[in-house]
């Protein structure tokens, strides 16, 4: 599924094997969002995460900041699957 622009927000939902995998994804996205100083609106129910992006200081519209964060989120999500925990080990001291 691609990001969908609707009501001045970029929206996308993600599914995972279980809650732990969904939470790990959210944690990784949180680190990137914090570094970008651009924070998503999101919800999590068990193994699903729904994300909505808009730029608050631009009047709650979709901007390049949102597209950049969406691209980063997709990159993080692309690492899920059989090699995900090997991918995560690169971030654990």
């Amino acid at each position: 599924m691609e990001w969908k622009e609707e009501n001045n927000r970029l929206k996308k939902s993600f599914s995972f094997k279980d809650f732990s995998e969904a939470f790990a994804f959210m944690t990784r996205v949180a680190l990137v969002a914090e570094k970008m100083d651009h924070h998503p609106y999101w919800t999590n129910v068990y193994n699903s995460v729904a994300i909505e992006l808009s730029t608050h200081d631009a009047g709650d519209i979709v901007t390049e900041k949102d597209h950049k964060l969406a691209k980063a989120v997709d990159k993080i999500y692309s690492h899920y699957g059989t090699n995900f925990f090997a991918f995560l080990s690169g971030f654990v001291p």
Side-chain angles (χ1 to χ4, degrees), residues 18-90:
D18 55 26
F19 176 76
S20 293
E21 196 172 90
F23 195 84
F25 168 78
M26 291 178 72
T27 301
R28 182 70 184 119
V29 170
L31 294 171
V32 172
E34 186 66 18
K35 186 173 183 177
M36 293 176 69
D37 193 28
H38 193 54
H39 306 95
Y41 171 85
W42 56 13
T43 58
N44 165 240
V45 178
Y46 183 58
N47 70 332
S48 65
V49 176
I51 299 177
E52 296 184 8
L53 304 174
S54 66
T55 303
H56 309 294
D57 57 355
D60 285 323
I61 61 170
V62 176
T63 67
E64 186 59 28
K65 286 177 85 170
D66 302 301
H67 288 284
K68 285 181 181 178
L69 182 53
K71 186 176 179 178
V73 168
D74 284 342
K75 185 175 181 181
I76 292 166
Y77 187 70
S78 74
H79 290 282
Y80 279 80
T82 58
N83 295 326
F84 178 68
F85 288 103
F87 164 74
L88 271 185
S89 68

